[in-house]
Amino acid sequence: MDMDAPALSPNKYRDTWSGQVLGERVGQEVKLSGWVHRRRDHGGLIFIDLRDRTGIVQLVFHPDQAGGSHETGHRLRSEYVVSVTGKVVDRDPETVNPELPTGEYEVHVTGIEVLAESQTPPFAIEGFQGEVGEEIRLRHRYLDLRREQMQSAIKLRHKLTTAMRGFLDGEGFLEIETPILTNSTPEGARDFLVPSRLQRNSFYALPQSPQLFKQLLMVSGFERYFQIARCFRDEDLRADRQPDFTQLDIEMSFVDGEDVIALNERLISHLLGEMGIEVEGPFPRMGYDEAIGRFGSDKPDLRYGYEITDLTEVLRGTGFKAFGGVIESGGAVRGINFGQRELSRAQLDGLIDDAKELGAKGLVWAFREGDGWRAPIAKFLSAEELSGLNSAMGAEEGDLMLVAADAPAKVAAILGGLRTRLADRWDLIPDDAGTNLCWIVDWPMFEFNEDENRWDALHHPFTAPSGEFDPEKPGDATAQAYDLVWNGVELGGGSIRIHDPELQSQVFKALGITDEEASERFGFLLEALTYGAPPHGGIAYGVDRFAALLAGVDSIRDVIAFPKTASGSDPLTGAPSPVDDIQLRDVGIQLRKPPKPQGG
Ligand code: ASP
């Protein structure tokens, strides 16, 4: 179906879309309905741009042709809703508007009915340049959504989810809904809780993902499931996160990782193809360790170079304490060769500030000069060390090198973060870089949480290890997990799951979850796994992010009809908001006193 101008059954409001007032209608009478987009009243002639979902057409009210309608024409204001009849005519050549698909034609109005008046909108629907604050846009989101940019973003999102459904239906996947009021599903965030009125002192949790239900559906024998699912994660404020968001959630049985990856390469090629982006599988793959080593990120942007080089071996035993000390305590020294750049002292200091913001204690900068370095710290390193560093980083005369030292994971994160900032600031991504898709594979199962002195699952606790699992050495275990990265953004991620209850219990133990706790929280899963669970695995994609990337907008809020602000509130409805005492009493809740104001 043409989304922009769907089939129309003529009724009392319209027989033609505004966007469809085209050449073949010249000479005919049409009936149109929509909003007054723009109005120019020359006293005699009145011009109205009429807008509906499909586009804009110019209406003309002639004092002598329009009869009573001309009077009504004077009254019209922006965003009034009207229904008009009139005759389609060719515009005079000098008044043709090449910007509009309907710009060669206009409708000479013979009758009009005002269906609704409008207050003056708080911001212009037309000619909006993004200068209006987000709070006011969201407070009047129904008006903001009238803007062309929002209309096309929402249409694009629909096209994307429709393509998802179509493809997966074609591959035999069943769309199955899972509950919103449920119990905790751990994906690493806090739960949103909903108090139960009927069962005092008990709470539902909103799902962080449908993970456990989709696994149960595999135990149930559905074999191929998907859902465009709402997920809820109560996380701290981070730019471009929404407390409720949408995933394309997929699970399949009797598959290994290769099968899931192959299905997903077909899916992604199909979806992008529908959007006019041609890609072809197999997509390249990179191991997690390599991604962290070379790019300092588990979602590396491969559209530009400036990779990270490990310099630890070159500097082992150095007399320069800032590096030597870090190496002796098991840390690493790594650097980026940022090439030929003339940076001012202020710009170099700016890079040091960047590194510090990213958690570094400092950042060393140096330019290659002859066999050595022009750098404040050059005098602390031997000639041999300097030339070793130059050759390790492939530095040529004048190249700028940026070097940091810290614990290995930290130095990776610092330089990975710096690499992204360099790319932004120096515009390093070639315009013709196109679409870069890459699977990140061979993830560690666990990551040590220093603060809590325990192991955390890097993906989630239901991910299957590759090969034998040694519960004594969680740090050595690799997961059968895969993430799909698109131009440096994580598009989705998934894994093969554990289908053996014994192995699942061992993994819970490795995570410090006691048997008692495991049976309390996940007893239903462990039990289900004892009734013949097939090998299974799946994936989930962030639909909001996917749509934002396709729409070329910076924020996922621009592809969500009714998003929340960065602080998790909704200026339109006022959510979240206090509730009255009776509602609280019904669910057996008494509020604590608000915390005392700080510093008072
Ligand atoms: N449930 C996972 C997530 O939300 C995705 C998956 O493993 O399929 O990230």
Side-chain angles (χ1 to χ4, degrees), residues 478-535:
T478 315
Q480 296 187 55
Y482 29 77
D483 266 16
L484 186 61
V485 177
W486 177 6
N487 294 348
V489 177
E490 181 199 331
L491 198 57
S495 59
I496 294 299
R497 327 297 183 184
I498 298 168
H499 71 282
D500 166 14
E502 185 47 41
L503 179 57
Q504 184 65 74
S505 297
Q506 284 179 11
V507 167
F508 284 149
K509 263 194 216 108
L511 288 166
I513 302 174
T514 63
D515 282 344
E516 208 183 9
E517 219 185 318
S519 80
E520 195 184 303
R521 289 175 61 194
F522 307 118
F524 65 97
L525 174 74
L526 290 170
E527 190 182 356
L529 295 181
T530 66
Y531 286 102

Short mmCIF file of all heavy atoms in Angstrom, two decimals, residues 478-535:
data_model
loop_
_atom_site.label_atom_id
_atom_site.label_comp_id
_atom_site.label_asym_id
_atom_site.label_seq_id
_atom_site.Cartn_x
_atom_site.Cartn_y
_atom_site.Cartn_z
N THR A 478 33.67 -18.47 27.91
CA THR A 478 33.22 -17.65 26.78
C THR A 478 31.76 -17.97 26.50
O THR A 478 31.34 -19.12 26.63
CB THR A 478 34.03 -18.01 25.51
OG1 THR A 478 35.39 -18.09 25.87
CG2 THR A 478 33.86 -16.97 24.44
N ALA A 479 31.00 -16.95 26.12
CA ALA A 479 29.57 -17.12 25.90
C ALA A 479 29.27 -17.35 24.43
O ALA A 479 29.96 -16.82 23.56
CB ALA A 479 28.83 -15.89 26.39
N GLN A 480 28.21 -18.10 24.17
CA GLN A 480 27.72 -18.23 22.78
C GLN A 480 26.81 -17.05 22.51
O GLN A 480 25.61 -17.19 22.32
CB GLN A 480 26.95 -19.52 22.60
CG GLN A 480 27.79 -20.77 22.78
CD GLN A 480 27.00 -22.00 22.42
OE1 GLN A 480 26.46 -22.10 21.32
NE2 GLN A 480 26.91 -22.94 23.34
N ALA A 481 27.41 -15.87 22.51
CA ALA A 481 26.62 -14.64 22.37
C ALA A 481 27.12 -13.85 21.17
O ALA A 481 28.25 -14.03 20.74
CB ALA A 481 26.76 -13.80 23.63
N TYR A 482 26.23 -13.02 20.64
CA TYR A 482 26.58 -12.22 19.46
C TYR A 482 25.80 -10.92 19.53
O TYR A 482 24.65 -10.87 19.90
CB TYR A 482 26.20 -12.98 18.17
CG TYR A 482 25.03 -13.92 18.39
CD1 TYR A 482 23.73 -13.41 18.46
CD2 TYR A 482 25.20 -15.29 18.64
CE1 TYR A 482 22.65 -14.23 18.73
CE2 TYR A 482 24.12 -16.12 18.92
CZ TYR A 482 22.85 -15.58 18.97
OH TYR A 482 21.78 -16.37 19.27
N ASP A 483 26.49 -9.84 19.21
CA ASP A 483 25.86 -8.51 19.12
C ASP A 483 26.02 -8.03 17.70
O ASP A 483 27.07 -8.26 17.10
CB ASP A 483 26.60 -7.51 20.02
CG ASP A 483 25.99 -7.39 21.40
OD1 ASP A 483 25.20 -8.28 21.77
OD2 ASP A 483 26.31 -6.43 22.11
N LEU A 484 25.02 -7.37 17.18
CA LEU A 484 25.15 -6.79 15.85
C LEU A 484 25.38 -5.29 15.99
O LEU A 484 24.59 -4.58 16.62
CB LEU A 484 23.91 -7.06 14.99
CG LEU A 484 24.05 -6.60 13.54
CD1 LEU A 484 25.20 -7.30 12.83
CD2 LEU A 484 22.76 -6.84 12.77
N VAL A 485 26.48 -4.82 15.42
CA VAL A 485 26.86 -3.41 15.54
C VAL A 485 26.73 -2.76 14.17
O VAL A 485 27.20 -3.30 13.17
CB VAL A 485 28.31 -3.28 16.06
CG1 VAL A 485 28.74 -1.82 16.12
CG2 VAL A 485 28.43 -3.92 17.43
N TRP A 486 26.06 -1.63 14.16
CA TRP A 486 25.85 -0.88 12.92
C TRP A 486 26.49 0.50 13.09
O TRP A 486 26.03 1.28 13.89
CB TRP A 486 24.34 -0.75 12.65
CG TRP A 486 24.00 0.05 11.43
CD1 TRP A 486 24.86 0.58 10.51
CD2 TRP A 486 22.69 0.42 10.99
NE1 TRP A 486 24.17 1.25 9.54
CE2 TRP A 486 22.84 1.17 9.80
CE3 TRP A 486 21.41 0.20 11.49
CZ2 TRP A 486 21.75 1.70 9.11
CZ3 TRP A 486 20.33 0.73 10.79
CH2 TRP A 486 20.50 1.46 9.62
N ASN A 487 27.53 0.76 12.32
CA ASN A 487 28.21 2.06 12.38
C ASN A 487 28.49 2.51 13.81
O ASN A 487 28.23 3.66 14.17
CB ASN A 487 27.38 3.14 11.67
CG ASN A 487 27.26 2.88 10.17
OD1 ASN A 487 27.98 2.05 9.63
ND2 ASN A 487 26.38 3.59 9.51
N GLY A 488 28.99 1.60 14.62
CA GLY A 488 29.36 1.98 15.98
C GLY A 488 28.22 2.02 16.97
O GLY A 488 28.39 2.50 18.09
N VAL A 489 27.04 1.54 16.57
CA VAL A 489 25.90 1.51 17.48
C VAL A 489 25.44 0.06 17.63
O VAL A 489 25.36 -0.67 16.65
CB VAL A 489 24.73 2.34 16.91
CG1 VAL A 489 23.52 2.27 17.83
CG2 VAL A 489 25.16 3.78 16.71
N GLU A 490 25.15 -0.33 18.88
CA GLU A 490 24.65 -1.69 19.08
C GLU A 490 23.20 -1.75 18.64
O GLU A 490 22.33 -1.12 19.22
CB GLU A 490 24.77 -2.06 20.57
CG GLU A 490 24.29 -3.46 20.84
CD GLU A 490 23.97 -3.69 22.31
OE1 GLU A 490 24.58 -3.06 23.18
OE2 GLU A 490 23.06 -4.51 22.57
N LEU A 491 22.96 -2.55 17.60
CA LEU A 491 21.61 -2.64 17.06
C LEU A 491 20.83 -3.73 17.78
O LEU A 491 19.64 -3.61 18.02
CB LEU A 491 21.71 -2.98 15.57
CG LEU A 491 20.51 -2.72 14.69
CD1 LEU A 491 20.10 -1.27 14.77
CD2 LEU A 491 20.85 -3.08 13.25
N GLY A 492 21.52 -4.80 18.12
CA GLY A 492 20.85 -5.90 18.81
C GLY A 492 21.86 -6.86 19.37
O GLY A 492 23.06 -6.76 19.09
N GLY A 493 21.35 -7.76 20.18
CA GLY A 493 22.24 -8.76 20.76
C GLY A 493 21.46 -9.96 21.23
O GLY A 493 20.27 -9.86 21.54
N GLY A 494 22.12 -11.10 21.23
CA GLY A 494 21.44 -12.30 21.69
C GLY A 494 22.43 -13.40 21.95
O GLY A 494 23.65 -13.17 21.97
N SER A 495 21.89 -14.60 22.12
CA SER A 495 22.76 -15.73 22.47
C SER A 495 22.02 -17.05 22.31
O SER A 495 20.80 -17.08 22.16
CB SER A 495 23.22 -15.59 23.93
OG SER A 495 22.10 -15.57 24.81
N ILE A 496 22.81 -18.11 22.35
CA ILE A 496 22.24 -19.44 22.56
C ILE A 496 22.03 -19.55 24.07
O ILE A 496 22.83 -19.06 24.86
CB ILE A 496 23.21 -20.52 22.03
CG1 ILE A 496 23.33 -20.39 20.52
CG2 ILE A 496 22.77 -21.92 22.45
CD1 ILE A 496 22.03 -20.57 19.74
N ARG A 497 20.92 -20.17 24.47
CA ARG A 497 20.59 -20.22 25.90
C ARG A 497 20.98 -21.57 26.50
O ARG A 497 21.14 -22.56 25.79
CB ARG A 497 19.08 -20.02 26.11
CG ARG A 497 18.41 -19.12 25.13
CD ARG A 497 18.92 -17.70 25.17
NE ARG A 497 18.16 -16.88 24.22
CZ ARG A 497 18.43 -15.60 23.97
NH1 ARG A 497 19.44 -15.00 24.56
NH2 ARG A 497 17.70 -14.92 23.10
N ILE A 498 21.00 -21.56 27.79
CA ILE A 498 21.21 -22.80 28.52
C ILE A 498 19.89 -23.58 28.50
O ILE A 498 18.86 -23.02 28.87
CB ILE A 498 21.63 -22.49 29.97
CG1 ILE A 498 22.95 -21.72 29.96
CG2 ILE A 498 21.69 -23.76 30.79
CD1 ILE A 498 23.32 -21.11 31.30
N HIS A 499 19.92 -24.84 28.06
CA HIS A 499 18.66 -25.60 28.12
C HIS A 499 18.76 -26.78 29.08
O HIS A 499 17.84 -27.58 29.18
CB HIS A 499 18.19 -26.02 26.72
CG HIS A 499 19.02 -27.09 26.09
ND1 HIS A 499 20.24 -26.83 25.51
CD2 HIS A 499 18.80 -28.42 25.93
CE1 HIS A 499 20.74 -27.95 25.03
NE2 HIS A 499 19.89 -28.93 25.28
N ASP A 500 19.90 -26.86 29.78
CA ASP A 500 20.11 -27.94 30.74
C ASP A 500 20.00 -27.34 32.15
O ASP A 500 20.78 -26.45 32.51
CB ASP A 500 21.50 -28.53 30.48
CG ASP A 500 21.98 -29.41 31.60
OD1 ASP A 500 21.15 -29.80 32.44
OD2 ASP A 500 23.19 -29.71 31.63
N PRO A 501 19.01 -27.83 32.95
CA PRO A 501 18.79 -27.20 34.26
C PRO A 501 20.03 -27.27 35.16
O PRO A 501 20.29 -26.35 35.95
CB PRO A 501 17.62 -28.00 34.86
CG PRO A 501 17.48 -29.23 34.02
CD PRO A 501 18.08 -28.93 32.69
N GLU A 502 20.79 -28.34 35.02
CA GLU A 502 21.99 -28.51 35.86
C GLU A 502 23.01 -27.40 35.56
O GLU A 502 23.54 -26.74 36.45
CB GLU A 502 22.57 -29.92 35.57
CG GLU A 502 23.75 -30.31 36.42
CD GLU A 502 23.52 -30.02 37.91
OE1 GLU A 502 22.39 -30.25 38.42
OE2 GLU A 502 24.47 -29.52 38.52
N LEU A 503 23.24 -27.18 34.26
CA LEU A 503 24.18 -26.12 33.84
C LEU A 503 23.65 -24.75 34.27
O LEU A 503 24.41 -23.89 34.74
CB LEU A 503 24.38 -26.19 32.32
CG LEU A 503 25.30 -25.14 31.70
CD1 LEU A 503 26.70 -25.18 32.31
CD2 LEU A 503 25.39 -25.35 30.18
N GLN A 504 22.33 -24.57 34.14
CA GLN A 504 21.76 -23.28 34.54
C GLN A 504 22.01 -23.03 36.04
O GLN A 504 22.37 -21.93 36.44
CB GLN A 504 20.26 -23.24 34.22
CG GLN A 504 19.59 -21.91 34.51
CD GLN A 504 20.10 -20.76 33.65
OE1 GLN A 504 19.79 -20.65 32.47
NE2 GLN A 504 20.91 -19.89 34.24
N SER A 505 21.87 -24.09 36.85
CA SER A 505 22.12 -23.93 38.29
C SER A 505 23.58 -23.57 38.54
O SER A 505 23.89 -22.73 39.38
CB SER A 505 21.82 -25.22 39.06
OG SER A 505 20.47 -25.53 38.93
N GLN A 506 24.49 -24.20 37.79
CA GLN A 506 25.92 -23.90 37.97
C GLN A 506 26.21 -22.44 37.64
O GLN A 506 26.99 -21.77 38.32
CB GLN A 506 26.77 -24.79 37.06
CG GLN A 506 26.90 -26.21 37.55
CD GLN A 506 27.74 -27.03 36.57
OE1 GLN A 506 28.37 -26.52 35.65
NE2 GLN A 506 27.74 -28.35 36.78
N VAL A 507 25.58 -21.96 36.58
CA VAL A 507 25.82 -20.56 36.19
C VAL A 507 25.25 -19.61 37.25
O VAL A 507 25.89 -18.63 37.61
CB VAL A 507 25.25 -20.28 34.78
CG1 VAL A 507 25.21 -18.79 34.49
CG2 VAL A 507 26.09 -20.99 33.73
N PHE A 508 24.07 -19.94 37.77
CA PHE A 508 23.54 -19.11 38.87
C PHE A 508 24.54 -19.08 40.02
O PHE A 508 24.81 -18.03 40.60
CB PHE A 508 22.20 -19.66 39.38
CG PHE A 508 21.03 -19.36 38.47
CD1 PHE A 508 19.96 -20.26 38.38
CD2 PHE A 508 20.98 -18.20 37.73
CE1 PHE A 508 18.87 -19.99 37.55
CE2 PHE A 508 19.89 -17.91 36.90
CZ PHE A 508 18.84 -18.82 36.82
N LYS A 509 25.09 -20.23 40.34
CA LYS A 509 26.05 -20.29 41.46
C LYS A 509 27.26 -19.41 41.18
O LYS A 509 27.73 -18.68 42.05
CB LYS A 509 26.49 -21.73 41.71
CG LYS A 509 25.70 -22.35 42.83
CD LYS A 509 26.31 -23.63 43.35
CE LYS A 509 25.18 -24.57 43.70
NZ LYS A 509 25.00 -25.71 42.80
N ALA A 510 27.77 -19.51 39.95
CA ALA A 510 28.94 -18.70 39.60
C ALA A 510 28.63 -17.21 39.77
O ALA A 510 29.51 -16.40 40.05
CB ALA A 510 29.38 -18.99 38.17
N LEU A 511 27.37 -16.86 39.61
CA LEU A 511 26.96 -15.45 39.75
C LEU A 511 26.67 -15.09 41.21
O LEU A 511 26.20 -13.98 41.49
CB LEU A 511 25.71 -15.19 38.91
CG LEU A 511 25.92 -15.17 37.40
CD1 LEU A 511 24.61 -15.26 36.67
CD2 LEU A 511 26.68 -13.91 36.99
N GLY A 512 26.90 -16.05 42.09
CA GLY A 512 26.67 -15.77 43.51
C GLY A 512 25.20 -15.86 43.89
O GLY A 512 24.79 -15.34 44.92
N ILE A 513 24.38 -16.49 43.04
CA ILE A 513 22.96 -16.66 43.36
C ILE A 513 22.83 -18.02 44.07
O ILE A 513 23.18 -19.05 43.48
CB ILE A 513 22.09 -16.63 42.08
CG1 ILE A 513 22.29 -15.29 41.34
CG2 ILE A 513 20.62 -16.86 42.41
CD1 ILE A 513 21.60 -15.20 39.99
N THR A 514 22.37 -18.01 45.29
CA THR A 514 22.29 -19.27 46.03
C THR A 514 21.15 -20.14 45.47
O THR A 514 20.24 -19.62 44.80
CB THR A 514 21.97 -19.02 47.52
OG1 THR A 514 20.68 -18.39 47.58
CG2 THR A 514 23.01 -18.12 48.17
N ASP A 515 21.19 -21.44 45.79
CA ASP A 515 20.15 -22.36 45.32
C ASP A 515 18.77 -21.86 45.74
O ASP A 515 17.80 -21.89 44.98
CB ASP A 515 20.35 -23.75 45.92
CG ASP A 515 21.45 -24.49 45.18
OD1 ASP A 515 21.79 -24.05 44.06
OD2 ASP A 515 21.97 -25.49 45.73
N GLU A 516 18.74 -21.37 46.98
CA GLU A 516 17.46 -20.91 47.53
C GLU A 516 16.92 -19.72 46.73
O GLU A 516 15.77 -19.69 46.31
CB GLU A 516 17.72 -20.49 48.97
CG GLU A 516 16.52 -20.61 49.85
CD GLU A 516 16.84 -20.10 51.24
OE1 GLU A 516 17.93 -19.51 51.45
OE2 GLU A 516 15.99 -20.29 52.11
N GLU A 517 17.83 -18.77 46.51
CA GLU A 517 17.46 -17.57 45.76
C GLU A 517 17.07 -17.95 44.33
O GLU A 517 16.09 -17.44 43.78
CB GLU A 517 18.68 -16.65 45.72
CG GLU A 517 18.38 -15.19 45.86
CD GLU A 517 19.69 -14.41 45.67
OE1 GLU A 517 20.74 -14.84 46.21
OE2 GLU A 517 19.64 -13.42 44.95
N ALA A 518 17.85 -18.87 43.76
CA ALA A 518 17.58 -19.29 42.37
C ALA A 518 16.20 -19.91 42.29
O ALA A 518 15.43 -19.64 41.37
CB ALA A 518 18.64 -20.26 41.89
N SER A 519 15.85 -20.75 43.29
CA SER A 519 14.55 -21.40 43.15
C SER A 519 13.43 -20.41 43.45
O SER A 519 12.36 -20.50 42.87
CB SER A 519 14.46 -22.68 43.98
OG SER A 519 14.21 -22.36 45.31
N GLU A 520 13.71 -19.43 44.28
CA GLU A 520 12.68 -18.43 44.54
C GLU A 520 12.43 -17.55 43.31
O GLU A 520 11.30 -17.28 42.94
CB GLU A 520 13.15 -17.57 45.72
CG GLU A 520 12.07 -16.73 46.34
CD GLU A 520 12.70 -15.87 47.43
OE1 GLU A 520 13.33 -16.46 48.34
OE2 GLU A 520 12.59 -14.65 47.32
N ARG A 521 13.54 -17.11 42.68
CA ARG A 521 13.38 -16.15 41.57
C ARG A 521 13.15 -16.83 40.23
O ARG A 521 12.40 -16.34 39.39
CB ARG A 521 14.62 -15.26 41.46
CG ARG A 521 14.73 -14.27 42.60
CD ARG A 521 16.03 -13.50 42.54
NE ARG A 521 16.18 -12.72 41.31
CZ ARG A 521 17.34 -12.19 40.91
NH1 ARG A 521 18.44 -12.40 41.61
NH2 ARG A 521 17.39 -11.48 39.81
N PHE A 522 13.85 -17.96 40.03
CA PHE A 522 13.81 -18.57 38.69
C PHE A 522 13.39 -20.03 38.74
O PHE A 522 13.64 -20.79 37.81
CB PHE A 522 15.19 -18.49 38.03
CG PHE A 522 15.76 -17.10 38.02
CD1 PHE A 522 16.94 -16.81 38.68
CD2 PHE A 522 15.10 -16.08 37.35
CE1 PHE A 522 17.47 -15.52 38.68
CE2 PHE A 522 15.62 -14.79 37.34
CZ PHE A 522 16.80 -14.51 38.01
N GLY A 523 12.74 -20.42 39.87
CA GLY A 523 12.34 -21.82 40.01
C GLY A 523 11.50 -22.28 38.83
O GLY A 523 11.67 -23.40 38.32
N PHE A 524 10.62 -21.42 38.34
CA PHE A 524 9.73 -21.81 37.23
C PHE A 524 10.53 -22.13 35.98
O PHE A 524 10.22 -23.04 35.23
CB PHE A 524 8.68 -20.73 36.96
CG PHE A 524 9.24 -19.42 36.47
CD1 PHE A 524 9.26 -19.13 35.11
CD2 PHE A 524 9.75 -18.48 37.35
CE1 PHE A 524 9.78 -17.93 34.64
CE2 PHE A 524 10.27 -17.27 36.89
CZ PHE A 524 10.29 -17.00 35.54
N LEU A 525 11.62 -21.40 35.76
CA LEU A 525 12.45 -21.67 34.58
C LEU A 525 13.20 -22.98 34.78
O LEU A 525 13.19 -23.85 33.91
CB LEU A 525 13.44 -20.53 34.36
CG LEU A 525 14.45 -20.80 33.23
CD1 LEU A 525 13.78 -20.67 31.87
CD2 LEU A 525 15.65 -19.86 33.31
N LEU A 526 13.82 -23.13 35.97
CA LEU A 526 14.59 -24.35 36.23
C LEU A 526 13.68 -25.57 36.11
O LEU A 526 14.06 -26.60 35.55
CB LEU A 526 15.21 -24.29 37.63
CG LEU A 526 16.35 -23.26 37.75
CD1 LEU A 526 16.77 -23.07 39.21
CD2 LEU A 526 17.56 -23.69 36.90
N GLU A 527 12.45 -25.42 36.61
CA GLU A 527 11.52 -26.55 36.52
C GLU A 527 11.15 -26.83 35.07
O GLU A 527 11.16 -27.97 34.61
CB GLU A 527 10.27 -26.25 37.36
CG GLU A 527 9.40 -27.48 37.50
CD GLU A 527 8.12 -27.21 38.28
OE1 GLU A 527 7.93 -26.08 38.79
OE2 GLU A 527 7.30 -28.15 38.37
N ALA A 528 10.84 -25.76 34.33
CA ALA A 528 10.46 -25.94 32.92
C ALA A 528 11.57 -26.65 32.15
O ALA A 528 11.30 -27.50 31.29
CB ALA A 528 10.17 -24.58 32.27
N LEU A 529 12.82 -26.33 32.49
CA LEU A 529 13.94 -26.96 31.79
C LEU A 529 14.02 -28.46 32.06
O LEU A 529 14.71 -29.18 31.34
CB LEU A 529 15.26 -26.28 32.15
CG LEU A 529 15.44 -24.81 31.74
CD1 LEU A 529 16.82 -24.29 32.16
CD2 LEU A 529 15.25 -24.60 30.24
N THR A 530 13.32 -28.92 33.11
CA THR A 530 13.36 -30.37 33.40
C THR A 530 12.31 -31.14 32.60
O THR A 530 12.21 -32.35 32.71
CB THR A 530 13.13 -30.67 34.90
OG1 THR A 530 11.78 -30.28 35.22
CG2 THR A 530 14.10 -29.93 35.78
N TYR A 531 11.47 -30.42 31.83
CA TYR A 531 10.41 -31.11 31.07
C TYR A 531 10.70 -31.16 29.58
O TYR A 531 9.81 -31.01 28.76
CB TYR A 531 9.07 -30.41 31.29
CG TYR A 531 8.47 -30.68 32.66
CD1 TYR A 531 8.56 -29.73 33.67
CD2 TYR A 531 7.81 -31.89 32.94
CE1 TYR A 531 8.02 -29.97 34.92
CE2 TYR A 531 7.28 -32.13 34.19
CZ TYR A 531 7.38 -31.18 35.18
OH TYR A 531 6.85 -31.41 36.41
N GLY A 532 11.96 -31.35 29.23
CA GLY A 532 12.28 -31.49 27.81
C GLY A 532 12.38 -30.15 27.12
O GLY A 532 11.48 -29.76 26.37
N ALA A 533 13.46 -29.43 27.38
CA ALA A 533 13.67 -28.13 26.74
C ALA A 533 14.57 -28.32 25.53
O ALA A 533 15.64 -28.90 25.63
CB ALA A 533 14.31 -27.16 27.72
N PRO A 534 14.15 -27.84 24.36
CA PRO A 534 14.99 -27.99 23.17
C PRO A 534 16.16 -27.00 23.22
O PRO A 534 16.06 -25.97 23.89
CB PRO A 534 14.04 -27.60 22.03
CG PRO A 534 13.11 -26.61 22.66
CD PRO A 534 12.93 -27.05 24.08
N PRO A 535 17.24 -27.30 22.51
CA PRO A 535 18.28 -26.26 22.37
C PRO A 535 17.64 -25.05 21.71
O PRO A 535 16.85 -25.20 20.78
CB PRO A 535 19.30 -26.90 21.43
CG PRO A 535 18.96 -28.35 21.36
CD PRO A 535 17.52 -28.50 21.74
#
